[in-house]
Structure formats: C-alpha cells, structure tokens
Amino acid sequence: MTTRTRFAPSPTGLLHIGSVRTALFNYLYAKHNGGKFILRIEDTDKARSRIELEDAILEDLEWLGINPDEGPSKDGRFSPYRQSERNSIYLDHAGKLLGSGKAYHCYCTKDRLKELTNEQKRAGKPPRYDGKCKSVKNLDLPHVLRLDVNLCGLSEITFEDKVKGKITFLSKDIGDFILLDTDSLPSYNFAAAIDDPLMGITDVIRGEDHISNTPRQIMIQRALGLKVPDYAHLPLVLGEDKKILSKRDDSFSIKSLRDEGYLPSAIINATARLGWAPGDEYISIMKLIDIFSLSRISSSPSSFNRDTLKRYNKDAISGADNAYLAALIKNDFPDTDAEKLELAIAAVKSNCGLIESIKILVSNLIGGNVRTEEAKTVLEDADSRMVNREFMKAIEASTSLGSDNWKEIAKDVSVKSGKKGRSLYGPIRAALTGSTSGIELLEVINFLGRDEVLKRIKEHLGENSGA
RNA sequence: GUCCCCAUCGUCUAGUCUGGCCAAGGACACCGCCCUUUCACGGCGGCGACGGGGGUUCAAAUCCCCCUGGGGACGCCA
C-alpha cells in the first residue's frame, strides 16, 4: 500500500515553525516511503477562515520546498481538498450514523450546555454532555448531531502511536461529542475522521495536542466502517520562553523569518531538529528524506531557538548560489550592476549568518559614504590620517596593488608610520570600507582594485582636511 | 476536577525500547587560547545536565512505584 500522509492546516493564521515541523515530517515520511504528501485545508470554521491565509500558507510551503502531491492547487483523484467543499460527503456519513442509531439529534441550547458544564465543574466532575436528548426524537427545532459514544461498541480505544507507543482511552471518559453543528457543518473531529480514510491517508502525523482527539476520530471511523489510519503524535514545539508556539505569535511565522533573511533550507534544517536528531551537520532535503524515521522521534517537547536557525543559515548562505543571493538583496543596490554585485557577494558570503550581514558587508565593498560610528572614531584620530597618508604614498609609488605586493606595502607603511597591528590596519580598513570589521583586508583590496583603493583613501584624507 | 502526554548541560539533543561500552557524547550559545602585524573564518580547549524519593538488580540516565514540575484535552475552534 502506498504511504499517504497529509498536512491539514486551517487557514486561520500564518504558518509558523510548529506547523512547518508537522508539514515537514509528513512530507519526509511520505517521501521516505515513496508515497504521497497531501495538503488538505480545514476551513470548516467559516467565521475565521480566510482565503488570503490559505494562499499565504500555500506560498510559504512552496517557498520552503515542501510541495504537496495533491491539494487545492494540485488536484488529485481525492478532490476536493478543501473541507468547505466536501460538505455533502459529511452529510452523507452523518445520515448513515443517524440511520444506524449511533448518532442522535441534540436540541440543547448553548445556554443549557454552558450551565451543565459549570454545574459539573462545580461538583468536581468532568464536563461532559449528559445525554438528555438521546431519547428525544424528531423535534422541529435547531439541533446538532452527536455521536452516541456508548453505542459505538467500544469500551476502550487503544491505538499504537508511532511516536508515543500504546495509548489507551476509556470511552466512558468521553462524552457524546458533536458531529454536525446547528448549520449542519462538520466538527473538526468528524471532518478529519472521515477525510483521512476517504483520502487514503495511511499515516496521520500531527501535533500531540491531538492525542485526545484520536479516540474520538477512531470511534467515528469504526462506527462508519472506515479504515483507521496509523497515528503518530509529535511532541509540541515551544518558543524560547517555553510556551507553546501559537498562531498569534508572529515572530515565529515563516513570513517573518523569511523577512529577517533566513533561507528555506536553514529553516528546514532547524525545524527538522525539533524532536529529531539527524546529526549536527547541515543536511540537504534529499538526505533528510533518505534518513527520516518516525521511530527516531523524541517524545518530549522541544523548543525552537534562533541561534540554531542562524547556525544553519550560515551554512545555507555559504552554500547558496551567488545569483540567488544577489536576487535577494539587489533592491538595496539599485545602482550596482549584477556582475559586480555577485562578485561582492562571493567575497563576503562565507562570513554571513544573516542576509542582513551580506548587505552590510557588500555595501562596505561597493561603497557609498556610509560609515559606522566606530569607523568615524578611528578615522578622526590624527595617527590614523598619518597611516592612510603613508598608505597612499606607498600605493602611488607602486604600479600595482594586490596579492603580489600587499605584504610589502603593508610592511612599508608599518615602518614609515611606526604603527602595526590594529592601529595599522584599523585606519586602512575604516577608510576603505567605512567599517571596523568585515572580510579580510586583502580581499577588500583585491575586490576594489588599485584605483578604487587610492580613490577612497584620497577621499578620506580630503575630508576634514582643515582639521 | 477527569483523562492523556512529558521530564538529560542555558538551548537542540545522543543514550532509555534491548540495564553494564555513560565517572553521560555531540552541536549551538558563552568564555579562553591558537592562527592572523587588522577583521572574520577556522582550529583547539573550558564551562555545563540525568527534577526528588523509594524500589528491583552484582549493576539504573535506562526497568517499576510515588512525589514534584511542565504541557495537552475535556468547545456548535481546529
């Protein structure tokens, strides 16, 4: 049987690290087993679902390279892939349940339910529907559909979780829950329980906040004679504050991470390590697919950490194409031609953990009059002007400047200025790049060339010349 | 309240299933040194953890029980 997994977000928020981890593991598991990865949109909540958010999710997944084999934008034979378009299917199954007496209409008002819950809590009892409407029939009143848990014929539900191991729930601990709401729209549990088997899903891999939903879904599937898929529940992903990542926490959304200059493969590498330990090295997606295994997933929660992300971003940037990186930053350098920009990127990229640092280092090379405060301080020093003056003379005395004679020239300047080390190179670096840090000076000089170096030194010496 | 899940360095974790190779290994972060007449990169090293208590055993991070702590679910959200 072909492995089929699914990622089933609801379009009520942006994709964040936690949901990406779920998507990634589903993808990895499917691909590892030569199967298919399906995207299903769970938009049964009309009030909160937004099509723009669905689009954003699709876009983020595509950007990350987690591409579904089937989904709203890639049709397969199990379409439609939006739950809002599958209502007749749910109604159909609801009818079967009602017909067989395994589900019943409930006419209780929300107020009564709320009161019931409060009462039970006050009495120290678990909040559960009391089954009042079980015996009531065919009233012409608004109603919901509830599953009669007792009539499902299961006193306990046990499933072998592929991550957590054997988990057992007692059906007496589960109240008759809602299948269809007043508007005849399916509840999450009902829709998911039906869609998974109908879409041929073999393995449901999701967050562990769904563990307690699992027995409900299994009950529905059993009651309907549908195939029960295998389940695997992933430990939750926490933020740096140890709190669960929430959809409201935008700082972990893919969009903001992307805006901050993290590359897709870095995000993939960092999220892959949330509950899984494929080693410390930066790993390609192909390799990840190759070595993925659910049995290696940890069962304790993990928290997402930016340092790790940054670490992988450094690898991702060093390994990225110059042209690819150039495309990301070209808007910041409108006056620079593409070739030169790529050259500059090639010179700096191995030093950068963030796209932002590429921008800074590239702009140091390409020029403009940007100077950091530290650089200004260095340049204001009288000795530093002297060093640069000697540097200028040395260059003028030579016809070339580059790898061949850089050492000699530096030595010469050192002797004439009486400076060495930091006080020798600091002023030159500051005059040339406007910064006190950056790539190796020789590389700066090689990139700029003799004429440009001379020009920048002269510009600097010309500044404040009256001082 | 009831049910379910979880517990190793600051963080991500390896090790737990199948007890001994673990006086607990790696990575990130941090600190130091080396390389470099500068800035980085890099290299080397340091810091640093089995939540607590019982048990089983010749032997426990690993198995069992209790406690504590964290989280999740119990919704006409998903």
Side-chain angles (χ1 to χ4, degrees):
Chain A
M1 184 172 49
T2 313
T3 298
R4 289 171 62 86
T5 63
R6 61 26 169 220
F7 175 54
S10 65
T12 55
L14 291 172
L15 217 52
H16 59 76
I17 288 293
S19 37
V20 166
R21 202 271 312 257
T22 304
L24 177 65
F25 284 13
N26 272 287
Y27 177 81
L28 257 22
Y29 185 77
K31 296 299 160 184
H32 177 84
N33 291 299
K36 303 267 191 239
F37 170 65
I38 286 88
L39 177 68
R40 182 173 75 221
I41 300 295
E42 309 218 322
D43 55 351
T44 52
D45 185 344
K46 283 185 299 188
R48 294 198 303 149
S49 296
R50 300 220 314 265
I51 188 75
E52 316 87 79
L53 289 170
E54 180 187 316
D55 291 342
I57 289 169
L58 254 42
E59 195 188 317
D60 285 343
L61 285 177
E62 191 184 344
W63 180 72
L64 287 165
I66 305 177
N67 294 121
D69 296 302
E70 295 166 28
S73 58
K74 194 156 190 280
D75 230 355
R77 64 194 178 91
F78 296 92
S79 74
Y81 294 91
R82 267 185 211 100
Q83 290 188 327
S84 60
E85 294 166 11
R86 299 173 63 80
N87 213 243
S88 58
I89 297 172
Y90 308 130
L91 255 25
D92 212 43
H93 287 85
K96 285 182 195 165
L97 254 17
L98 191 62
S100 65
K102 287 173 178 162
Y104 59 90
H105 287 318
C106 169
Y107 307 91
C108 294
T109 62
K110 287 185 182 178
D111 285 345
R112 169 172 193 271
L113 261 18
K114 197 175 281 177
E115 206 171 298
L116 181 65
T117 304
N118 289 151
E119 221 169 84
Q120 287 167 330
K121 279 187 176 166
R122 239 178 290 128
K125 288 183 176 169
R128 226 165 273 154
Y129 182 63
D130 60 1
K132 182 179 179 230
C133 296
K134 216 188 277 193
S135 50
V136 183
K137 291 249 165 13
N138 302 325
L139 287 179
D140 188 21
L141 283 170
H143 58 264
V144 300
L145 186 71
R146 285 185 189 271
L147 187 73
D148 189 336
V149 168
N150 288 327
L151 284 185
C152 282
L154 294 165
S155 60
E156 63 171 49
I157 298 97
T158 297
F159 59 98
E160 190 65 30
D161 192 287
K162 282 187 169 166
V163 170
K164 305 266 183 186
K166 189 174 175 176
I167 300 178
T168 301
F169 286 88
L170 267 21
S171 63
K172 72 172 177 62
D173 291 328
I174 299 169
D176 290 351
F177 58 95
I178 290 175
L179 266 19
L180 249 32
D181 72 9
T182 325
D183 298 322
S184 292
L185 258 23
S187 68
Y188 160 73
N189 277 313
F190 192 49
I194 290 173
D195 283 343
D196 287 334
L198 256 47
M199 291 184 172
I201 303 302
T202 55
D203 296 85
V204 172
I205 304 167
R206 66 217 321 190
E208 73 173 338
D209 46 337
H210 287 292
I211 287 184
S212 49
N213 285 144
T214 307
R216 289 163 229 269
Q217 296 178 12
I218 291 176
M219 276 189 220
I220 295 168
Q221 286 155 354
R222 289 280 187 76
L224 250 15
L226 295 169
K227 181 167 178 354
V228 179
D230 283 349
Y231 289 95
H233 290 94
L234 270 15
L236 261 18
V237 177
L238 314 175
E240 273 147 333
D241 56 358
K242 286 288 175 190
K243 290 271 192 289
I244 299 161
L245 245 38
S246 135
K247 285 191 176 174
R248 284 163 282 280
D249 191 355
D250 271 354
S251 63
F252 290 108
S253 74
I254 298 311
K255 187 186 180 308
S256 61
L257 259 17
R258 179 181 181 172
D259 290 346
E260 283 172 47
Y262 291 103
L263 264 34
S265 59
I267 295 180
I268 295 286
N269 265 271
T271 49
R273 271 156 259 250
L274 260 15
W276 182 36
D280 296 316
E281 299 304 309
Y282 173 87
I283 302 176
S284 72
I285 187 89
M286 291 313 287
K287 181 80 192 294
L288 247 18
I289 289 172
D290 191 40
I291 63 180
F292 187 77
S293 162
L294 276 179
S295 65
R296 304 284 304 165
I297 304 295
S298 144
S299 53
S300 53
S302 47
S303 72
F304 180 72
N305 158 285
R306 255 163 221 267
D307 284 333
T308 305
L309 214 209
K310 202 166 169 181
R311 184 249 131 119
Y312 288 112
N313 211 38
K314 183 177 270 176
D315 287 335
I317 287 175
S318 313
D321 275 357
N322 297 329
Y324 174 82
L325 296 171
L328 294 179
I329 65 169
K330 65 166 188 260
N331 289 343
D332 289 55
F333 302 93
D335 302 328
T336 308
D337 68 73
E339 199 184 340
K340 192 176 177 191
L341 186 60
E342 284 187 35
L343 240 36
I345 287 171
V348 308
K349 70 176 179 182
S350 66
N351 287 32
C352 301
L354 249 28
I355 295 294
E356 198 52 37
S357 12
I358 299 187
K359 286 183 191 169
I360 292 168
L361 293 185
V362 164
S363 85
N364 288 344
L365 290 182
I366 285 179
N369 293 318
V370 194
R371 289 210 166 127
T372 64
E373 289 307 312
E374 291 88 345
K376 282 179 193 161
T377 309
V378 169
L379 291 176
E380 273 162 17
D381 187 67
D383 281 352
S384 101
R385 298 183 65 81
M386 186 263 287
V387 167
N388 275 312
R389 209 172 297 122
E390 292 302 335
F391 183 40
M392 180 184 74
K393 285 188 211 158
I395 302 168
E396 282 176 332
S398 168
T399 50
S400 70
L401 177 67
S403 307
D404 297 342
N405 61 351
W406 165 238
K407 275 216 151 95
E408 288 164 40
I409 289 192
K411 177 90 182 165
D412 183 40
V413 176
S414 174
V415 169
K416 290 197 170 127
S417 66
K419 299 286 177 188
K420 58 182 182 178
R422 200 182 179 85
S423 49
L424 170 68
Y425 291 99
I428 296 176
R429 174 183 296 281
L432 255 27
T433 68
S435 172
T436 52
S437 66
I439 60 170
E440 199 183 332
L441 249 192
L442 176 58
E443 284 190 56
V444 173
I445 286 163
N446 279 335
F447 177 84
L448 295 176
R450 180 180 181 272
D451 293 349
E452 180 66 20
V453 168
L454 205 49
K455 180 170 159 252
R456 291 192 184 187
I457 295 292
K458 282 180 174 169
E459 269 170 22
H460 156 59
L461 291 173
E463 286 169 12
N464 312 315
S465 51

